[in-house]
Amino acid sequence: MRLWRGGLLATLAGDSGWGLVDDGALLVDEGRLRWVGPAGELPPEATGAEVVELGGALVTPGFVDCHTHLVYGGSRANEFEQRLLGASYADIAKAGGGIRSTVAATRAASEAELLAGATRRARALMREGVTTLEVKSGYGLDAATEARMLRVARQLGGLGIDVRTTYLAAHALPPEFSDADEYIAAVCRWLPELHEQGLVDAVDAFCEHIAFSPAQTARVFDAAQRLGLPVKLHAEQLSDQGGAQLAAGYRALSCDHLEFLSPAGVQALGQAGTVAVLLPGAFYALRETQLPPIAALREAGVPIAIATDHNPGSSPTLSPLLMLNMACVLFRLTPEEALRGLTVNGARALGLHDRGRLVAGQRADFCIWDSAHPRELAACFGHNPLKERVWQGSHQGES
Ligand SMILES: N=CN[C@@H](CCC(=O)O)C(=O)O
Ligand SMILES: [Zn+2]
């Protein structure tokens, strides 16, 4: 057993508030939090535990980055320049760039090359406190490359981080298909074998005028449902397609982006308990001006998560801390909402309920920060006060 003591704990216990514990202690046994509370009230079983002094440092739950496209080949910095000159994300996609340009580079990359790039990126996220990471496929768009991406994602688990994989073959129409319905049939056909290989934890789609229709998305969700896999959706990023209502009908874990979410979509998410994942990096990089309906989401009691959405096109960031800041500055989330978004609600967006708070029984995934209060994590940007990342109760040295 190990005891961390003498820190300011932001436990996020309960449904609101920071859950601060001053001069707090965490007793960890076999990768789980056995006891959390004031150091002056330690339980008898803490006697004899190996002690780590926190010296007044801030402790938060480890970050859960619940939406990334971390595995890919190539770079899309050229599109950054094109967008600065006036082209939109949709213009670039329609001209064959965007996702399809990353598909070409990803297909051309070996598994070792993909793993090397994804490992570098995962380590960068870990350096800012990420302990659970979701990784999507969706740059292969053929059976072999989708499998390669998902295998690479699984291998990232060896770095000392939990990885959840999401099958996103319904991301764009690959060049060898001209009929989107035929492609969707292939997407549904490939899924059972990938699932059989243990490569898929959830299924996602891009429901958008430049991607797939609600009817096509429903076919992918039906295929997921037949296998008992939970679904997620890239919904209402560029337009209102009614994707949120569709996804809510499948009890989706999350709907992500949501700038163009309608009032009916908000209600549907609220009723289904689906998490709204907001992605300030993509909002910022695409110079979007349409804000997700934050007030309505709050009012409907929809849990809000935030994530990096790391991808080479619309959100090439590897900084969850910057996302905390952007979620507050751009979306007007409170710092507490933003931190909950990157911890307990991020976990919920992955269907994980055993992490994201510092309470007894949860996994011992936490971060120790050189900060005086959790609001500083959101208020400051461009520097990283992480002192230590603890994953499953073990100190995680930088590797
Ligand atoms: N919007 C669709 N998918 C990704 C972007 C993928 C890309 O542009 O490569 C996203 O979540 O932002
Ligand atoms: Zn995405």
Side-chain angles (χ1 to χ4, degrees), residues 149-171:
M149 289 186 71
L150 291 166
R151 278 197 305 271
V152 166
R154 276 275 182 264
Q155 287 172 67
L156 298 175
L159 299 174
I161 188 167
D162 274 330
V163 174
R164 306 295 290 179
T165 57
T166 302
Y167 177 63
L168 178 60
H171 198 194

Side-chain angles (χ1 to χ4, degrees), residues 67 69 76 89 99 139 171 206 234 237 257 282 309 311-314:
H67 183 141
H69 306 252
R76 304 238 298 275
Y89 182 72
I99 294 169
Y139 292 130
H171 198 194
F206 187 18
H234 286 67
Q237 181 187 10
H257 288 288
D309 186 20
N311 74 73
S314 66

Side-chain angles (χ1 to χ4, degrees), residues 178-196:
S178 54
D179 183 323
D181 285 317
E182 278 176 22
Y183 177 61
I184 289 295
V187 167
C188 297
R189 229 178 18 250
W190 300 332
L191 177 58
E193 190 176 334
L194 295 171
H195 176 52
E196 178 108 356

Side-chain angles (χ1 to χ4, degrees), residues 72-93:
Y72 57 84
S75 155
R76 304 238 298 275
N78 60 325
E79 292 179 11
F80 177 63
E81 293 175 320
Q82 288 168 22
R83 289 198 307 273
L84 291 177
L85 292 172
S88 73
Y89 182 72
D91 293 337
I92 293 169

